[in-house]
Amino acid sequence: MEKPPGSEIEIFRDFIKKKGLRYTPEREVILREIFNIHDHFDVDELYLRLRNKGHRISKASIYRTLPLLIECGLVQEVYHEDGHMHYEHIYGHEPHAHFRCLSCRRVEEFRDERLEEVAREYAERYGVEIKMTRFEILGYCSSCRGEEG
Amino acid sequence: MEKPPGSEIEIFRDFIKKKGLRYTPEREVILREIFNIHDHFDVDELYLRLRNKGHRISKASIYRTLPLLIECGLVQEVYHEDGHMHYEHIYGHEPHAHFRCLSCRRVEEFRDERLEEVAREYAERYGVEIKMTRFEILGYCSSCRGEEG
DNA sequence: TAAACTATTGAAACAAAATTTCAATAAGGT
DNA sequence: ACCTTATTGAAATTTTGTTTCAATAGTTTA
Ligand SMILES: [Mn+2]
Ligand SMILES: [Mn+2]
Ligand SMILES: [Zn+2]
Ligand SMILES: [Zn+2]
């Protein structure tokens, strides 16, 4: 049941402790479920998955836990669509950008090191400290292009 | 009163006509005001500016018009913050990315041609049609860094 | 281990953002 | 001028996200 050192569990527990907060079962269950989802997700989907597994975690707790997971770098806001935010776990994954089709809504991930380079150089030049970066391409995928007009 | 060809007004009118919609005073007033705002804005700010100038445009009309302006490429969603979307007009401006300070909330714009290059190459490789791109750096500006912990 | 302290929880109330409804209006075509 | 029908404002509604509060349960202290 114990996760090895350096795992998301340990990172989260250390973060919680360091902030003087309490490491609760609810917080751990939310974290575990998020790392079971290997896709982008929203609050409602996460909530339903937890319920379907028999957990009685309130949405309020999810809304309270997400900012903590983001603050400690395990989770990111990916994009805002259909009036609500979509998230993904990022710990253990390489940084990546997203292409979103405006027609079929498919989301593709891709990696390009030049993006990190751009961010790194900006940080260097202006003396800012980077917490995260986000690069999105919105458009029409190869199947959907041509249908817009 | 007439704007020269190629102006945002003309582009919008042509777009509206081509879609078989109607070019109304409300739509034009909203468009004009958006191009008077030389900054990022949200719906409430736009609404209040219109009211202060004596226009009686409803928020519903603003919410209805924004997607049209986005669809024809005059306006973009810039970022989602404080629970609502922020926009900017983009016609007539070079593409640019944003740095946002998580502490003081300042937003800085910068330009880097490598970003367009990355998008262009992705589009080429995967046969997608680009509608827009967005690059954001979130972090702490030089004044705010060090205060987070 | 018992007691004290206080952060966290779920449920419900609340607030805010965005969408929809609907009757009145007005754009644009004939 | 007349007709058709898209658009409007206002209000109702829906959805997202936050706050309140009493009960609970981590964590510390002795
Ligand atoms: Mn992703
Ligand atoms: Mn900008
Ligand atoms: Zn598609
Ligand atoms: Zn700052």
Side-chain angles (χ1 to χ4, degrees):
Chain A
M1 184 121 301
E2 282 296 303
K3 281 268 190 168
S7 73
E8 58 272 12
I9 301 279
E10 183 156 296
I11 288 171
F12 189 43
R13 185 165 41 210
D14 289 353
F15 169 81
I16 288 290
K17 291 298 184 183
K18 185 139 72 185
K19 285 204 95 174
L21 305 176
R22 291 173 185 177
Y23 192 71
T24 65
E26 290 83 0
R27 283 174 175 161
E28 182 168 318
V29 165
I30 291 169
L31 170 60
R32 282 184 187 279
E33 191 54 36
I34 286 176
F35 276 81
N36 279 337
I37 304 177
H38 296 291
D39 202 351
H40 308 120
F41 65 92
D42 57 31
V43 166
D44 210 56
E45 184 179 333
L46 175 56
Y47 173 72
L48 291 175
R49 284 180 64 123
L50 288 168
R51 280 196 71 89
N52 289 340
K53 291 191 177 180
H55 297 292
R56 283 298 161 71
I57 309 272
S58 68
K59 278 194 182 175
S61 287
I62 294 177
Y63 277 114
R64 287 169 180 137
T65 302
L66 275 169
L68 295 171
L69 293 168
I70 290 169
E71 194 184 341
C72 70
L74 295 172
V75 171
Q76 264 187 8
E77 297 183 336
V78 196
Y79 54 90
H80 192 271
E81 189 178 68
D82 297 323
H84 59 268
M85 192 55 72
H86 295 249
Y87 306 84
E88 70 183 350
H89 67 254
I90 49 173
Y91 180 68
H93 293 265
E94 290 204 314
H96 60 273
H98 298 91
F99 168 81
R100 291 164 51 202
C101 178
L102 295 167
S103 176
C104 68
R105 306 247 153 150
R106 201 193 329 268
V107 179
E108 297 290 344
E109 303 184 338
F110 68 98
R111 173 145 176 65
D112 195 312
E113 300 187 3
R114 282 171 291 183
L115 298 172
E116 290 133 71
E117 207 175 288
V118 168
R120 210 161 37 234
E121 286 177 23
Y122 181 87
E124 179 89 15
R125 173 180 303 198
Y126 294 100
V128 308
E129 184 185 323
I130 296 178
K131 175 75 179 177
M132 67 152 293
T133 66
R134 179 165 33 224
F135 185 68
E136 272 182 280
I137 302 178
L138 304 194
Y140 300 94
C141 75
S142 52
S143 315
C144 294
R145 72 183 298 177
E147 318 175 350
E148 322 90 78
Chain B
M1 183 122 303
E2 283 294 304
K3 280 269 190 168
S7 73
E8 59 272 11
I9 301 278
E10 183 156 297
I11 289 171
F12 189 43
R13 185 165 40 210
D14 290 354
F15 169 81
I16 289 290
K17 292 297 184 185
K18 186 139 72 184
K19 285 204 94 175
L21 305 176
R22 291 173 185 177
Y23 193 70
T24 65
E26 290 82 1
R27 284 175 174 160
E28 181 169 319
V29 164
I30 290 169
L31 170 61
R32 283 184 187 280
E33 190 55 36
I34 286 176
F35 275 80
N36 279 338
I37 304 178
H38 296 291
D39 202 351
H40 308 122
F41 65 92
D42 56 32
V43 167
D44 210 57
E45 185 180 332
L46 175 56
Y47 174 72
L48 291 175
R49 283 181 64 124
L50 288 168
R51 280 196 72 88
N52 289 340
K53 292 191 177 180
H55 297 292
R56 281 298 160 73
I57 309 272
S58 68
K59 277 193 182 176
S61 287
I62 294 176
Y63 277 114
R64 287 169 181 135
T65 302
L66 275 169
L68 296 170
L69 294 169
I70 290 169
E71 193 184 339
C72 70
L74 295 172
V75 171
Q76 265 188 7
E77 296 183 337
V78 196
Y79 54 89
H80 192 271
E81 188 178 67
D82 297 323
H84 59 270
M85 192 56 73
H86 295 248
Y87 306 84
E88 68 183 351
H89 66 255
I90 50 174
Y91 180 69
H93 292 266
E94 289 204 314
H96 59 273
H98 297 92
F99 168 81
R100 291 163 53 203
C101 178
L102 295 167
S103 175
C104 68
R105 305 249 153 146
R106 201 194 328 266
V107 179
E108 297 291 344
E109 303 184 338
F110 68 98
R111 173 145 175 66
D112 195 311
E113 301 187 2
R114 284 171 291 183
L115 299 172
E116 289 133 71
E117 207 174 288
V118 168
R120 210 160 38 233
E121 286 177 24
Y122 181 87
E124 178 89 14
R125 173 179 303 198
Y126 294 100
V128 308
E129 183 185 324
I130 296 177
K131 175 75 179 179
M132 68 153 291
T133 65
R134 176 162 39 222
F135 185 69
E136 272 183 280
I137 302 177
L138 303 194
Y140 299 93
C141 76
S142 53
S143 314
C144 294
R145 71 183 298 177
E147 318 176 349
E148 322 92 78

